[in-house]
Amino acid sequence: MQHSSKTDWQRVKAEAAADEPVARDADDLYDPNDPAAVDAFWDAATVRRRGERGPQKAPTKQQVSLRLSPEVLAYFKAGGSGWQTRLDQALKDYVREHSHD
C-alpha cells in the first residue's frame, strides 16, 4: 500500500535553504532552534518502520480472530478507516444496553 506524505516538502526545502531559524509557536516547549533541545529529542526518539506500531500506552484491547457476515463487514468498512474502532464501539454499546447489573 502506497501512502502519500502530508508534508509540504517544497516549504521544508525552502526553509532549509534559507538557513534561518525555524518558526515555532511560542507556547511550544520544544525549540527546534536550540541544538541541545534537538539533541535531547533525538536521544529520546524511537525510530520505527512504516506500518510498525509502537507499544501501547495502556494496552486495553485483545487481538482476536473473528468471522463476520459480509453485510456487517461491508457496513462498517463503508465508513472508511476506523471501521474496527466503530465496530468495537457498537459492541460496547450493545453490552452496556444488555448488561443485567
Side-chain angles (χ1 to χ4, degrees), residues 6-90:
K6 294 179 182 177
T7 302
D8 181 353
W9 288 109
Q10 286 183 329
R11 181 186 58 80
V12 170
K13 290 175 184 175
E15 288 179 0
D19 199 26
E20 295 176 3
V22 177
R24 70 183 190 97
D25 187 347
D27 296 332
D28 192 358
L29 298 177
Y30 172 72
D31 182 358
N33 302 301
D34 177 5
V38 173
D39 288 343
F41 172 83
W42 286 110
D43 287 344
T46 301
V47 179
R48 295 191 312 260
R49 296 180 191 273
R50 177 177 288 189
E52 180 183 358
R53 291 184 57 149
Q56 294 182 11
K57 292 180 181 175
T60 60
K61 295 182 180 179
Q62 296 178 359
Q63 184 173 356
V64 297
S65 176
L66 177 66
R67 293 181 183 271
L68 301 171
S69 66
E71 308 80 41
V72 170
L73 191 57
Y75 174 82
F76 283 97
K77 282 190 167 186
S81 67
W83 69 270
Q84 291 175 327
T85 300
R86 290 189 300 277
L87 177 59
D88 183 60
Q89 186 60 53

